[in-house]
Amino acid sequence: MLNNLPPLAPFRPRLLQDLRGYNGEKLARDVGAGATVGIVALPLAMAFAIASGLKPEAGLWTAIIAGFLISALGGTSVQIGGPAGAFIVIVYGIVERYGVANLMIATASAGVLLFLLGLFRLGTLVRYVPVSVVIGFTNGIAVLIALSQVRDWLGLDIAQMPGDFFSQIGTIASHIGSFNPYAFGLGALCVLGLFVWPRLWAVDSQFRRQLDQIDTVSALKATSRLPAPVVALVTLSLAAWALSLPVETIGTRFGGIPQGVPAFELPDFTWATVKQLVTPTLTIAVLGAIESLLCARVADQLSDTPKHDPNQELMAQGVANFVVPFFGGMPATGTIARTVTNIRSGGASPVAGIVHAATLGAVVLLAAPLAQHIPLAVLAGVLLFVAWNMGEWREFGRLKHFSNHYRLMMVSTFLVTIVFDLTVAVELGLVLACVLFVRRQSDIFRAEPLAQTGQQLTYRLYGSLFFGAAAKIDPIVAAVQQSPTAVNVVLEATHLISLDTTGLDALEQLHKAIDKRGGHLRMVGLNEQPRSLMQRSGFAAKLHDGE
């Protein structure tokens, strides 16, 4: 029996393949792209950690350690790994309910689960999640991320935000009297700058065309290569410091960022604790798998590199998520924004991702004390921009073009993600997808009458006769039972695609009704799958003329 099991997926990192024929030109491209992505990752990593209820260094070292491992061991050439916005709501809820120590255990356990999913070649299962469900929970998470940043954006005096959607709204409303206009202004300027900066330097912008006619502004033109989040972070932090604005900063809330490598620590581990963390573990693993493989598919579309290996990617994600908790990190996955930045900056191999981790590590070790001056309102502005870009808001406007099934799955997943949590939303979405799929397939099946005489009824079967469509055989049974004389039934099955055991049972009941009336049942034009099931069950031998 064991010999019939599919072979395990080989552990074959894409880095080994891409290093064949590697040259100086590719190295230069990877170093440039990796350095750019490392700078972009700096504000995002801190913002994701703070929004998740953790210290900023948790996000930074997750981006460094997990980013290195995912690139070095992963199944894609250009994907960048690290903390992601999609995890903010999940991690915040786990920290609030179970504590930071249990988050570490859940993350490590999710890493083991992710590795096993890849090892047993289950990476392709993620593609079975309907796109409507993915869009629904992605938009829901974007709304929750934006809501979680309102406190820091408005500068409200709230010690601890609750994790529940309605409780968050109530808490914000009850503390609106502590509104800080300076924090609001910094956050608004940050969001505005993030929107304007890339458009300002676009090739077809009026500002860029005017600069191209001037030869003395080469230094100014060089700034166009700076990522917008970094420009916003530096300029607004300097402004807040120089003007001594009364706003909360990383230093006032967290005391700054330690300038050194985090110590290796083992969380208190017991099997009793692991049993309590089954739901958080599954949530981290499922979301990590979905996000990383969706990101890998986006990378495949934008890059000329070979297509990703989903199983190898999951194994790399598993290793990264197993390791980072021991250094105080948080869950990690593939990140679309940083991956796209890597591709557009010329990254062509996992070396770019490794350079990204090294760049971020160098910045943290050399410039960590400067981070204490960063206003939290600016980081809130960065995350508000991330939430806006993360959501696929146009899909709501396009709902009128899709079926009611699609609308139901997307809207229900979106609302449940906001009101309850991601796990319930994905479960509901998948259940709805299965139920609606069964209904749609049952609608496709039909038994069309062709000819009816006093002695014979002929029907043509279309589609799949399975448990969801078996009841459509009942009218034929009723017609046989209502016939005053013996009746023969012919089922023309050329267009019968498939048959399951419930459908076979419906045919058995039809045969019994016909036999009881003294008639016989024939099936003609059977395809391979229905014929095989009938022969294995012995039903084929009961049919007239052995059909």
Side-chain angles (χ1 to χ4, degrees):
M1 182 179 297
L2 294 177
N3 292 332
N4 296 327
L5 294 176
L8 300 178
F11 193 82
R12 193 177 301 148
R14 179 61 59 84
L15 177 64
L16 300 179
Q17 174 183 331
D18 286 352
L19 286 179
R20 299 171 187 167
Y22 199 72
N23 53 39
E25 179 184 354
K26 290 183 178 180
L27 177 61
R29 291 172 55 191
D30 285 338
V31 169
T36 300
V37 178
I39 296 173
V40 171
L42 180 67
L44 294 177
M46 289 189 293
F48 291 154
I50 294 172
S52 301
L54 303 172
K55 294 182 178 180
E57 58 264 29
L60 291 171
W61 285 105
T62 298
I64 295 168
I65 298 172
F68 171 82
L69 292 174
I70 290 172
S71 293
L73 305 177
T76 70
S77 296
V78 292
Q79 179 159 278
I80 303 296
F87 275 122
I88 290 176
V89 179
I90 303 302
V91 173
Y92 190 89
I94 295 174
V95 170
E96 183 190 41
R97 185 176 304 176
Y98 301 99
V100 175
N102 287 329
L103 169 67
M104 303 300 111
I105 296 175
T107 303
S109 301
V112 174
L113 184 57
L114 283 168
F115 187 87
L116 293 177
L117 287 175
L119 183 65
F120 289 102
R121 298 179 180 270
L122 299 178
T124 54
L125 291 181
V126 175
R127 296 182 180 179
Y128 294 158
V129 180
V131 64
S132 56
V133 174
V134 174
I135 293 174
F137 77 67
T138 300
N139 286 358
I141 290 173
V143 170
L144 293 175
I145 291 174
L147 180 62
S148 70
Q149 297 310 298
V150 172
R151 173 184 66 164
D152 290 335
W153 181 33
L154 302 182
L156 303 182
D157 185 16
I158 301 175
Q160 181 69 26
M161 283 286 287
D164 177 72
F165 174 73
F166 295 108
S167 297
Q168 287 183 347
I169 294 178
T171 302
I172 291 171
S174 63
H175 290 79
I176 198 66
S178 60
F179 170 73
N180 184 332
Y182 300 101
F184 175 76
L186 287 174
L189 285 174
C190 179
V191 174
L192 180 63
L194 294 176
F195 273 107
V196 171
W197 183 261
R199 292 165 177 78
L200 191 67
W201 293 103
V203 176
D204 58 346
S205 72
Q206 184 67 26
F207 177 75
R208 183 65 178 267
R209 285 199 295 266
Q210 291 179 355
L211 283 183
D212 289 340
Q213 300 174 2
I214 304 175
D215 297 329
T216 59
V217 291
S218 57
L220 181 60
K221 292 180 182 179
T223 62
S224 65
R225 301 174 184 174
L226 294 175
V230 175
V231 174
L233 193 72
V234 172
T235 56
L236 294 177
S237 296
L238 285 173
W241 173 76
L243 298 175
S244 300
L245 298 181
V247 294
E248 194 171 15
T249 65
I250 288 179
T252 58
R253 181 179 293 184
F254 302 103
I257 297 176
Q259 192 174 12
V261 178
F264 179 88
E265 294 184 7
L266 290 173
D268 294 333
F269 178 88
T270 63
W271 283 112
T273 303
V274 173
K275 291 178 182 178
Q276 296 176 358
L277 298 174
V278 170
T279 298
T281 296
L282 291 176
T283 302
I284 294 172
V286 170
L287 182 57
I290 292 174
E291 285 291 311
S292 63
L293 296 185
L294 285 178
C295 180
R297 292 177 65 181
V298 171
D300 288 344
Q301 297 169 1
L302 298 178
S303 173
D304 295 331
T305 56
K307 301 298 181 183
H308 74 280
D309 179 349
N311 298 313
Q312 181 62 42
E313 188 61 31
L314 287 184
M315 287 191 282
Q317 299 285 342
V319 172
N321 280 282
F322 180 77
V323 172
V324 291
F326 301 118
F327 294 92
M330 59 188 289
T333 186
T335 57
I336 293 179
R338 276 159 277 173
T339 297
V340 172
T341 301
N342 182 39
I343 295 171
R344 291 177 177 172
S345 300
S349 80
V351 173
I354 295 174
V355 172
H356 136 266
T359 300
L360 195 53
V363 172
V364 171
L365 294 175
L366 297 177
L370 298 177
Q372 64 179 331
H373 301 295
I374 298 175
L376 296 180
V378 174
L379 293 180
V382 172
L383 284 186
L384 288 172
F385 184 75
V386 168
W388 174 258
N389 285 330
M390 180 180 177
E392 299 186 46
W393 312 113
R394 294 180 181 177
E395 293 300 318
F396 287 113
R398 298 178 60 217
L399 281 177
K400 60 184 178 182
H401 301 299
F402 296 99
S403 66
N404 290 332
H405 293 176
Y406 183 95
R407 298 173 193 168
L408 178 61
M409 285 192 291
M410 178 177 160
V411 174
S412 61
T413 305
F414 171 72
L415 294 176
V416 172
T417 299
I418 293 175
V419 176
F420 295 99
D421 61 47
L422 177 65
T423 306
V424 177
V426 173
E427 290 173 351
L428 175 65
L430 291 177
V431 169
L432 281 176
C434 293
V435 171
L436 296 176
F437 176 79
V438 169
R439 179 176 178 179
R440 180 171 295 177
Q441 292 301 309
S442 65
D443 289 342
I444 293 175
F445 177 81
R446 68 182 189 275
E448 183 180 284
L450 293 182
Q452 299 189 23
T453 65
Q455 297 295 322
Q456 179 171 299
L457 304 177
T458 303
Y459 295 84
R460 178 173 292 160
L461 304 182
Y462 293 87
S464 299
L465 181 53
F466 69 116
F467 64 90
K472 293 190 175 183
I473 299 297
D474 292 347
I476 306 178
V477 176
V480 171
Q481 293 173 338
Q482 294 169 5
S483 176
T485 61
V487 63
N488 300 323
V489 176
V490 177
L491 299 180
E492 205 284 310
T494 305
H495 301 286
L496 180 64
I497 300 173
S498 63
L499 177 71
D500 74 353
T501 53
T502 305
L504 179 63
D505 181 71
L507 295 178
E508 291 263 15
Q509 299 306 316
L510 174 61
H511 178 266
K512 289 179 181 179
I514 296 171
D515 188 62
K516 186 175 182 180
R517 303 287 293 176
H520 58 257
L521 172 65
R522 295 178 61 234
M523 297 194 70
V524 297
L526 280 169
N527 290 308
E528 181 179 356
Q529 191 275 333
R531 179 184 293 276
S532 174
L533 178 58
M534 290 180 181
Q535 289 174 343
R536 287 183 281 113
S537 65
F539 180 67
K542 302 177 183 179
L543 298 178
H544 187 68
D545 294 335
E547 292 288 336

